[in-house]
Amino acid sequence: MRIVLGVSAGIAAYKAVHLARLLTEDGHQLDVIPTEASLQFVGRATWEAISGRPVTTSVFSGVDEVRHVRLGQEADLVVVAPATADLLAKARAGMADDLLTSTLLATQAPVLLAPAMHTEMWQNPATAENVRQLRARGLEVMDPAVGRLTGADSGPGRLPEPEQIKARIDQLLSAAGETGELTGRRVVVTAGGTREPLDPVRYLGNRSSGKQGMALAQAALQAGAEVTLIAGSMDAPLGPELQGAEVVRIETAEQLHQAVRVETERADALIMAAAVADFRPADYAAAKIKKTDDGASPTITLTRNPDILADVVSRRSQTGGPAVIVGFAAETGDETTDPLQLAQQKLQRKGCDLLVLNRVGENLVFGQDSTEIHILAADSVKDRLAGQHAEHVAGTKQQAAAAVISTLSRLLGS
Ligand code: CTP
């Protein structure tokens, strides 16, 4: 999603740096618009480094691209943190003498203002009246936190904590998602690992943490999709950011297969991020397998699990199925083969539309918050992407998820 972060001139501007980081780590495209005076607190270089985008304060930069109107028009959400008493007054009056106030005037996206000022200024009738008016116009003005202020004083006026502002942004974005790129679309995401039971206490499992799948489900929700998350074993519990998704829990590959068949019947897209065990123990021991006195080790015979992804692809060609099918490949490569080459072969073998390659190794990908992916498109869909999709993303799993969802939306929309 595209977020504009306005920063006005309060000492709490330093906290907005953390907020900016939380937003970019979630995969959002962030444009920071500081007021000229706020650069006394946090400089342009910091904002450019964190957002990875150019930062200007004046309506006279980027005139050719009509920046003072465009940023506001294109934003999915505008947040101002900290919003000073002066900024609130200007916003209420509809002033537009710099890039931030012009953006506030031009945007039709939800606006969230997070005030920070001394208690006296917050409680001054002028500010109170400005806040009332802004709220009456549909802008959301958060209540400032109560606590220690810049000097020795304390009271209401502190900037709400960045995590709290971020949580409110998430809620506003998922509400706005009702009109997002995937509005009215059904997306099924599989996530986590499967566990193949050996006896009542043991199983064969894998190191999938489920983080990438959860990030994909979250990104699809934010884009407005109806999401079903088919979840296997995961490191972390499902967080509040997945509220709104229907969750189906599975344990084994066979249960996953069954759930995918049922859930994809009416789905527009399937994203197979789950790490499916290719094999399961051929026999399940109803009682715990015990050590024997002769010191012998038991032999476990394995049998093949169905290839769920390949099955959905082949059923689609016979009786129909999701318009877009996305597979994942976790590859290490070796001295002679490049992971990208293996992934290309897998894309063809599996017959899916998109294949997301994760490079895996000792410390890469599994359980980590960062990742490196390549998004490969089948020849049959390349035309529809017109070379416009992100082919390589190195960043957080949320950033990777945002790129996959944006590519998928492009395919569903074309
Ligand atoms: N997959 C599946 N059913 C399986 C195994 C894998 O649907 N039994 C899916 C995964 O969810 C993933 C993709 O297929 O989207 C690729 O999985 P991967 O295990 O990397 O591929 P394999 O086909 O098992 O190939 P390899 O043996 O090369 O690892």
Side-chain angles (χ1 to χ4, degrees):
M1 294 276 175
R2 293 175 173 214
I3 299 181
V4 166
L5 170 61
V7 181
S8 56
I11 183 89
Y14 79 93
K15 287 195 189 169
V17 175
H18 183 45
L19 175 63
R21 165 121 296 163
L22 292 174
L23 293 171
T24 52
E25 280 177 354
D26 247 10
H28 298 297
Q29 176 181 307
L30 189 68
D31 281 293
V32 183
I33 311 182
T35 61
E36 190 61 34
S38 80
L39 297 177
Q40 302 273 348
F41 297 105
V42 177
R44 195 186 311 263
T46 303
W47 297 124
E48 290 195 336
I50 289 197
S51 66
R53 298 176 60 80
V55 167
T56 50
T57 60
S58 152
V59 286
F60 297 109
S61 340
V63 176
D64 55 332
E65 42 176 297
V66 207
R67 206 167 150 78
H68 69 292
V69 180
R70 194 179 50 81
L71 288 175
Q73 282 174 337
E74 290 179 355
D76 295 301
L77 183 115
V78 177
V79 53
V80 183
T84 57
D86 180 62
L87 187 279
L88 295 177
K90 283 185 169 152
R92 185 236 166 137
M95 287 172 73
D97 60 354
D98 65 3
L99 190 58
L100 177 53
T101 47
S102 309
T103 302
L104 282 171
L105 215 50
T107 192
Q108 302 211 319
V111 173
L112 178 66
L113 303 169
M117 64 198 76
H118 285 280
T119 305
E120 294 80 354
M121 295 170 96
W122 174 248
Q123 290 175 341
N124 187 293
T127 306
E129 176 59 18
N130 291 336
V131 169
R132 233 185 339 269
Q133 279 290 336
L134 289 166
R135 285 178 174 161
R137 281 182 215 154
L139 284 76
E140 181 167 331
V141 185
M142 294 179 85
D143 281 325
V146 181
R148 178 88 195 271
L149 301 169
T150 317
D153 50 344
S154 74
R158 266 170 75 92
L159 183 73
E161 289 309 312
E163 285 76 10
Q164 204 185 331
I165 303 174
K166 164 75 169 37
R168 189 62 197 136
I169 291 174
D170 287 346
Q171 285 167 349
L172 288 171
L173 284 179
S174 36
E178 282 157 25
T179 54
E181 289 173 298
L182 290 178
T183 303
R185 303 292 196 174
R186 285 171 170 270
V187 176
V188 176
V189 180
T190 70
T194 60
R195 288 179 171 179
E196 308 296 328
L198 200 54
D199 69 16
V201 294
R202 304 185 181 93
Y203 59 81
L204 298 181
N206 60 60
R207 293 172 60 199
S208 171
S209 66
K211 284 183 181 166
Q212 184 65 78
M214 284 197 268
L216 283 157
Q218 185 188 353
L221 279 174
Q222 282 178 350
E226 277 180 54
V227 177
T228 302
L229 175 66
I230 307 181
S233 71
M234 298 185 165
D235 280 356
L238 301 178
E241 64 280 6
L242 290 169
Q243 243 171 30
E246 190 189 330
V247 178
V248 178
R249 304 276 349 189
I250 58 93
E251 192 167 304
T252 66
E254 283 182 312
Q255 289 166 356
L256 176 61
H257 194 190
Q258 188 53 32
V260 166
R261 280 195 172 179
V262 172
E263 300 301 335
T264 52
E265 257 170 32
R266 290 182 306 131
D268 298 289
L270 168 68
I271 306 179
M272 278 296 295
V276 191
D278 287 321
F279 306 98
R280 67 176 182 276
D283 301 302
Y284 172 73
K288 186 181 170 196
I289 302 169
K290 305 289 281 180
K291 294 186 283 294
T292 50
D293 292 339
D294 61 6
S297 304
T299 302
I300 300 169
T301 308
L302 298 175
T303 182
R304 280 287 282 270
N305 270 330
D307 188 324
I308 302 167
L309 182 58
D311 177 56
V312 178
V313 170
S314 96
R315 288 161 71 89
R316 174 170 73 174
S317 63
Q318 291 154 19
T319 54
V324 179
I325 301 176
V326 185
F328 271 69
E331 304 288 358
T332 54
D334 56 33
E335 303 81 38
T336 52
T337 19
D338 173 44
L340 259 176
Q341 219 177 319
L342 290 174
Q344 272 299 352
Q345 290 161 4
K346 190 167 283 183
L347 173 64
Q348 273 164 21
R349 205 167 59 240
K350 299 259 182 181
C352 48
D353 307 302
L354 299 174
L355 190 101
V356 181
L357 163 68
N358 269 317
R359 283 164 184 263
V360 288
E362 269 296 290
N363 292 314
L364 278 175
V365 179
F366 285 116
Q368 302 291 312
D369 292 322
S370 59
T371 189
E372 186 181 343
I373 62 158
H374 293 265
I375 304 176
L376 280 60
D379 289 340
S380 52
V381 304
K382 267 192 184 141
D383 283 356
R384 281 149 63 198
L385 291 173
Q388 299 275 322
H389 77 288
E391 288 175 8
H392 177 225
V393 182
T396 62
K397 289 188 173 171
Q398 278 74 19
Q399 286 167 334
V404 173
I405 293 298
S406 146
T407 311
L408 184 152
S409 308
R410 198 172 271 274
L411 281 182
L412 278 178
S414 58

